[in-house]
Amino acid sequence: MIKKIDTILTKDKMSRDDLIYLLKLTSRDDIQYLYDRAYAVKEQYVGKVAYYRGLIEFSNKCRKNCLYCGIRRDNKRAIRFDMTRDEILQMAYFAYENQYGSVTLQSGERTDEKFIDYVEKLIWEIKRITKGELGITLSLGEQDKNAYQRWFNAGAHRYLLRIETSNPTLYGKLHPQDDNHSWQKRVDCLRELGKIGYQVGTGVMIGSPGQTIEDLADDILFYEKIDADMIGMGPYIVHHDTPLGQTVMQANNYDKHQHMELSLKMIAITRLYLKDVNIAATTALQALNPVGRELGLKAGANILMPVLTVSQHRSKYMLYDNKPCIDDNAAQCRDCLAGRIAGIGETIGYAKWGDAKHYFKKNAAIFKTK
Ligand code: 5AD
Ligand code: SF4
């Protein structure tokens, strides 16, 4: 008799109910089978190559107040920092010299002209010192069209903006209820980024309080609807100095194992459903399991983000508790990750941008006419 899981996995297109069925799998064997099938799809569509995005978390100052995040504006215990321009440039140059291929510039959200101008010049300068060879991804939150365009013109070509959840009601529970935290605004930003020509990345927090399996299935459908090129998602993890973290700690019902498993299932099912996108094995996976990122790669992810942030600031960029790698420096992260990737029989896409195949496929018609 053909098993239901096989019937689903041989379909050209899975339905919402199929996604829900897969997310609810409980048998060890079935879950492993799901990961293996996702790995085969990854091999077929994007290869067994892990691409790097050296992560530069250059400031933890943020105008937002997301209820789950350790660097939210109202967390007075967070020690605020800005990396200097020179430090950022040095880190970018380290990525270039070590053939990382790309960097991701990430910070809390700021929308003032001084910041926009600073980032714009920084992008130009990184491009200049790396002879235009280093790819630049930005993860700098919601901005107006003009700022996105200026940064694109300066040379950034990918942008990450997580939707956090595709369910607007749940979004409302994870964020303060004000104009500064609008689900619709985030969707509008994602569309704007795509129009400008960025490769667009989005993602969700998995296992946030109040989230259902149905929400997660809808998240995958949302990725398709928004036509995302890149997916970055990871488990929700408690931060003790946040309103949400404190509620979860009081309820005492956070299950690390469950969060890990659900995160890996999400990676696998997203790979099976979307096929040719880039999917990150995020650092948050490693916060729950020492080999979390390797497990992410084995479940279908193909992107890693080695941390470049200078050692003295790492412990201050604390989005959640127990963030790994905070005592390491960039060279240690480089060597550690290389070992981990070799350990699972994959190669590293050195000196390559590793753009999402999906982006080129959807733009094939445009590129042909250029
Ligand atoms: N647990 C997991 N991920 C978090 N982020 C922020 N706070 C947490 C947390 N407590 C993630 C959000 C955000 C990204 C920068 O970090 O998804 O988009
Ligand atoms: Fe700021 Fe992002 Fe944290 Fe929200 S999740 S508070 S926008 S850094």
Side-chain angles (χ1 to χ4, degrees):
M1 199 183 86
I2 301 173
K3 283 177 78 175
K4 180 158 178 187
I5 183 170
D6 273 314
T7 315
I8 292 176
L9 293 179
T10 46
K11 284 186 183 177
D12 279 344
K13 190 153 179 77
M14 293 187 269
S15 67
R16 181 175 185 267
D17 282 345
D18 294 335
L19 300 177
I20 293 169
Y21 179 85
L22 296 178
L23 282 163
K24 287 188 174 167
L25 288 175
T26 51
S27 120
R28 275 276 99 228
D29 288 351
D30 283 349
I31 295 173
Q32 188 55 49
Y33 184 60
L34 179 77
Y35 299 159
D36 294 346
R37 290 292 297 260
Y39 197 70
V41 168
K42 157 175 152 173
E43 200 173 350
Q44 184 189 343
Y45 283 84
V46 298
K48 279 167 52 174
V49 186
Y51 293 102
Y52 277 180
R53 317 295 183 224
L55 182 61
I56 307 178
E57 300 149 322
F58 66 88
S59 169
N60 65 353
K61 296 181 181 158
C62 188
R63 57 189 283 277
K64 281 221 162 86
N65 232 346
C66 309
L67 301 174
Y68 44 83
C69 177
I71 63 170
R72 62 198 298 273
R73 192 187 63 217
D74 285 354
N75 182 9
K76 301 289 180 253
R77 296 221 215 168
I79 303 162
R80 304 291 163 174
F81 76 92
D82 290 295
M83 264 166 74
T84 66
R85 187 169 178 279
D86 275 354
E87 282 171 334
I88 302 172
L89 292 175
Q90 273 168 27
M91 288 295 107
Y93 199 76
F94 175 95
Y96 175 61
E97 268 186 320
N98 285 279
Q99 312 214 321
Y100 279 17
S102 300
V103 285
T104 298
L105 297 178
Q106 188 176 77
S107 75
E109 189 175 292
R110 271 181 60 185
T111 51
D112 49 291
E113 171 55 29
K114 195 172 160 207
F115 180 78
I116 292 163
D117 182 63
Y118 175 76
V119 171
E120 183 180 17
K121 297 203 170 104
L122 201 58
I123 298 168
W124 284 115
E125 191 57 12
I126 293 174
K127 279 286 172 189
R128 194 187 67 76
I129 63 173
T130 64
K131 304 185 183 70
E133 288 172 23
L134 195 67
I136 301 182
T137 304
L138 302 178
S139 175
L140 305 172
E142 294 168 16
Q143 304 286 342
D144 69 21
K145 200 154 87 169
N146 183 41
Y148 284 150
Q149 185 70 57
R150 280 165 63 186
W151 293 344
F152 186 77
N153 295 348
H157 72 298
R158 297 185 288 236
Y159 204 103
L160 302 173
L161 184 64
R162 287 191 182 177
I163 189 70
E164 312 296 358
T165 170
S166 60
N167 177 342
T169 311
L170 177 59
Y171 192 93
K173 293 187 180 139
L174 300 173
H175 299 89
Q177 303 271 5
D178 60 29
D179 288 350
N180 210 13
H181 298 83
S182 147
W183 182 87
Q184 189 56 49
K185 167 93 198 292
R186 204 158 270 216
V187 175
D188 294 345
C189 283
L190 286 168
R191 299 220 183 276
E192 203 51 62
L193 288 160
K195 269 196 236 156
I196 290 173
Y198 281 98
Q199 289 171 51
V200 179
T202 192
V204 296
M205 269 189 321
I206 298 158
S208 52
Q211 185 184 54
T212 64
I213 292 293
E214 286 71 19
D215 287 331
L216 289 169
D218 288 334
D219 292 341
I220 297 176
L221 297 174
F222 175 86
Y223 301 156
E224 180 186 37
K225 196 163 144 214
I226 206 91
D227 209 0
D229 304 298
M230 320 175 297
I231 310 296
M233 50 192 171
Y236 162 71
I237 301 175
V238 167
H239 187 291
H240 62 282
D241 276 330
T242 58
L244 206 66
Q246 280 162 4
T247 311
V248 172
M249 282 190 314
Q250 252 167 24
N252 198 17
N253 61 356
Y254 187 89
D255 184 334
K256 228 164 132 171
H257 173 76
Q258 221 177 13
H259 275 77
M260 189 67 201
E261 187 171 276
L262 204 50
S263 300
L264 295 175
K265 279 180 176 169
M266 274 298 278
I267 290 177
I269 300 167
T270 302
R271 173 62 69 203
L272 287 160
Y273 190 73
L274 295 179
K275 299 188 169 62
D276 59 357
V277 295
N278 278 347
I279 304 177
T282 54
T283 317
L285 289 172
Q286 202 186 324
L288 295 187
N289 183 319
V291 291
R293 283 184 292 182
E294 289 93 312
L295 294 175
L297 293 177
K298 293 295 278 179
N302 67 324
I303 301 290
L304 285 169
M305 300 173 83
V307 184
L308 290 170
T309 312
V310 287
S311 306
Q312 94 233 42
H313 294 317
R314 286 187 182 208
S315 60
K316 299 176 212 146
Y317 204 88
M318 273 297 193
L319 305 172
Y320 45 81
D321 290 345
N322 303 320
K323 194 173 164 205
C325 316
I326 57 170
D327 296 323
D328 301 338
N329 62 34
Q332 285 164 328
C333 281
R334 172 197 62 200
D335 299 341
C336 161
L337 264 190
R340 286 168 184 268
I341 294 163
I344 58 165
E346 297 209 354
T347 55
I348 301 168
Y350 279 122
K352 299 243 169 55
W353 283 7
D355 286 329
K357 298 250 185 326
H358 182 75
Y359 178 79
F360 296 105
K361 206 169 139 203
K362 80 181 179 200
N363 287 303
I366 305 171
F367 288 131
K368 251 187 232 154
T369 55
K370 268 193 182 163

